[in-house]
Amino acid sequence: MPEPVFFPKAGALTLGEIADLAEAALPAGADPQAEIDEAVPLERAGPRSLAYMDNPSYAEALAATAAGVVLVSKRFAERVPAGSLGLVCADPYRVFAAALARLHPSAVRPGSCFGAQGVSHGALVHPTARIEHGATIDPGAVVGPHVEIGKGTVVCAGAVVGPHCRIGRDSAVSAGVTLAHALVGNRVILHPGVRIGQDGFGFAMGPRGHVKVPQIGRVIVQDDVEIGANTTIDRGSGRDTVIGEGTKIDNLVQIGHNVVIGRHCVIVSQVGISGSATLGDFVVLGGQVGVIGHVTIGDGAQIAATSNVNGDVPAGARWGGTPAKPVREWFREINAVKTLASRRSFAKDDGA
């Protein structure tokens, strides 16, 4: 039995098209109509392959590659083998990604689980829902009353879109997603198992028990956001929970009620953000970072993996540790502890 092809090729790319993507000039004598069939790592590349290199760790792989075309930054241009054509560009990885998207467009976002187009007979769509022509609703998907779904959006099998939700155009709601009390923009990708719009964790606690506080806010997911598998985003209690334009969220992230995340942030797996925290634009949170409620992390700040943020972080700062603090201060503390531990160990050994 032949192996399945999960991401079929849309066709070849010419050298001229690749040069346009890279905003680079082809070397003299290069044929702009010559075709490249695939984009692959350096070690797998052949004469009709495109590869890239922007990291010194792969210098040996670059020297040994048989790639027809290699995207490189200026610093590595002289290391491209004689048998390969080197295209110098400012960001080789970004250009490689763009070429991959041209070659394999079906890998850019999730598609129908059933290979369906339009509203499938097995979908449960409320008669008051408004589905634009060109949207796809898979068998087994549930679309509630007064929902609006835009052209080019796919709602996969097992997904549930609750009453009054709105989803823009060219978005993807993957299998098993639940969406409630939410407004979702254009070109948004929700990976399998994402949960958006459920109750925030709000209780008035006391000695006679804990009284549930109704959560009456929404979740607003702006354009070009991508949210990884099994991530949960609670709706606001009074104000809205907001995920800003272009933000990318990994798998297994928990975002509490009233959190506001700015534009183009990057949030890595297993991060937990407590209620009413605010992140500015272009913030980066490494894996397993914990953020307590009601703090503000300024624009462009970066928090190292496994750190705990328990106070406001200035814009542009690089913090790490538990509790998080400026990286240089954190490193000094680590080195001081190492030195102290070494001295104690030496003294004990010497005494013995």
Side-chain angles (χ1 to χ4, degrees):
M1 174 180 277
E3 291 187 3
V5 179
F6 292 114
F7 303 109
K9 293 177 186 174
L13 285 174
T14 66
L15 287 185
E17 290 171 329
I18 295 170
D20 287 343
L21 289 175
E23 299 180 349
L26 288 173
D31 179 7
Q33 298 305 314
E35 292 187 340
I36 292 296
D37 293 330
E38 61 180 0
V40 294
L42 289 162
E43 61 272 15
R44 287 177 45 202
R48 291 174 66 90
S49 303
L50 172 70
Y52 81 98
M53 193 278 200
D54 64 355
N55 187 318
S57 299
Y58 297 97
E60 292 184 7
L62 176 62
T65 192
V69 180
V70 182
L71 302 164
V72 290
S73 53
K74 187 175 180 180
R75 63 187 291 211
F76 299 118
E78 294 182 357
R79 302 189 186 187
V80 176
S84 300
L85 186 154
L87 277 182
V88 177
C89 50
D91 194 340
Y93 189 35
R94 196 179 186 94
V95 178
F96 184 79
L100 265 177
R102 292 276 191 93
L103 289 167
H104 303 279
S106 63
V108 174
R109 68 183 186 120
S112 167
C113 296
F114 199 67
Q117 292 184 337
V119 179
S120 301
H121 291 298
L124 296 177
V125 179
H126 195 275
T128 62
R130 297 175 57 188
I131 313 296
E132 279 192 340
H133 178 73
T136 295
I137 313 296
D138 267 359
V142 176
V143 177
H146 307 291
V147 167
E148 296 183 14
I149 297 175
K151 177 182 178 181
T153 288
V154 58
V155 179
C156 292
V160 177
V161 182
H164 300 281
C165 287
R166 296 180 183 178
I167 305 172
R169 294 175 173 172
D170 298 314
S171 293
V173 180
S174 297
V177 168
T178 58
L179 192 64
H181 315 100
L183 306 178
V184 175
N186 302 315
R187 299 174 302 279
V188 170
I189 296 174
L190 307 178
H191 286 284
V194 164
R195 311 296 185 198
I196 292 179
Q198 60 281 338
D199 279 7
F201 191 71
F203 299 90
M205 292 181 281
R208 292 184 296 171
H210 311 313
V211 177
K212 186 177 183 64
V213 178
Q215 308 286 291
I216 60 172
R218 308 171 297 179
V219 176
I220 297 176
V221 180
Q222 296 179 356
D223 294 347
D224 299 303
V225 167
E226 184 161 350
I227 300 174
N230 294 322
T231 282
T232 62
I233 302 175
D234 296 340
R235 70 176 183 266
S237 59
R239 73 181 192 185
D240 295 329
T241 301
V242 179
I243 311 299
E245 173 189 0
T247 284
K248 312 301 181 187
I249 300 173
D250 200 355
N251 304 332
L252 297 170
V253 170
Q254 156 65 14
I255 297 173
H257 60 193
N258 304 336
V259 168
V260 176
I261 294 174
R263 299 176 302 118
H264 305 291
C265 295
V266 174
I267 300 173
V268 183
S269 181
Q270 298 184 357
V271 164
I273 304 176
S274 298
S276 300
T278 299
L279 277 62
D281 298 339
F282 291 94
V283 168
V284 178
L285 303 183
Q288 298 184 332
V289 164
V291 179
I292 71 165
H294 305 277
V295 302
T296 297
I297 300 177
D299 293 350
Q302 299 180 17
I303 310 299
T306 72
S307 301
N308 292 314
V309 178
N310 65 0
D312 292 347
V313 179
R318 296 178 66 224
W319 281 24
T322 300
K325 54 184 67 66
V327 164
R328 289 184 179 179
E329 181 181 339
W330 178 37
F331 285 171
R332 283 198 301 269
E333 290 182 1
I334 291 172
N335 288 332
V337 170
K338 284 183 177 179
T339 300
L340 182 61
S342 175
R343 288 174 179 172
R344 285 179 175 273
S345 176
F346 178 79
K348 183 178 179 180
D349 292 343
D350 187 55

